[in-house]
């Protein structure tokens, strides 16, 4: 029906375009008030390196998937988004060793 398909995309092999770092990042904010959360959402949404961003429960504030060409680029991204962000209490990077499954489709029951 109308409004079901949000976008048609091409799946690009990150290695083919020089993107070698995939990182899953847990972000903890100092507080969860609406203004702080909304600012973080806007910052993460507008960052071109952030492929995915989720506002989550369970102790973390956000979980992000970040793509970067190399570790120097990744360090600049983490500095800009997290280390220099007064709203961020802490963050933890999990660098992917292998992209085991990165599908974007979904099964509709």
């Amino acid at each position: 029906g109308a409004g079901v398909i949000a976008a048609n995309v091409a799946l690009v092999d990150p290695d083919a375009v020089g993107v070698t770092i995939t990182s899953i990042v847990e972000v903890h904010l100092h507080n969860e008030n609406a203004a702080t959360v909304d600012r973080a959402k806007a910052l993460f949404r507008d960052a071109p390196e952030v492929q995915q961003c989720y506002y989550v429960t369970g102790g973390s504030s956000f979980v992000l998937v970040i793509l970067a060409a190399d570790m120097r680029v990744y360090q600049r991204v983490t500095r800009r988004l997290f280390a220099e962000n007064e709203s961020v209490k802490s963050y933890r990077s999990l660098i992917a060793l292998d992209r085991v499954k990165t599908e974007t489709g979904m099964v509709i029951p």
Side-chain angles (χ1 to χ4, degrees):
V4 173
I5 297 174
N8 290 310
V9 298
L11 297 179
V12 176
D13 178 2
D15 294 326
V17 294
V19 174
T20 61
I21 304 296
T22 299
S23 179
I24 297 88
V25 183
E26 294 178 329
V27 179
H28 300 110
L29 299 179
H30 280 290
N31 65 66
E32 299 282 330
N33 69 46
T36 302
V37 170
D38 289 346
R39 277 194 308 274
K41 285 180 181 179
L43 176 66
F44 300 152
R45 186 182 302 115
D46 293 342
E49 303 88 356
V50 175
Q51 184 189 45
Q52 299 174 52
C53 176
Y54 303 93
Y55 182 47
V56 298
T57 64
S60 297
S61 302
F62 288 91
V63 174
L64 291 77
V65 176
I66 295 179
L67 303 179
D70 56 40
M71 286 305 290
R72 285 182 306 171
V73 172
Y74 183 69
Q75 183 181 15
R76 287 195 303 268
V77 171
T78 58
R79 183 174 294 148
R80 185 180 85 242
L81 296 180
F82 314 126
E84 296 175 351
N85 184 341
E86 71 270 359
S87 297
V88 173
K89 179 178 181 182
S90 64
Y91 66 97
R92 180 173 77 138
S93 296
L94 305 166
I95 305 298
L97 298 175
D98 189 12
R99 296 177 191 96
V100 178
K101 183 174 182 178
T102 58
E103 293 182 16
T104 60
M106 66 182 285
V107 176
I108 300 172

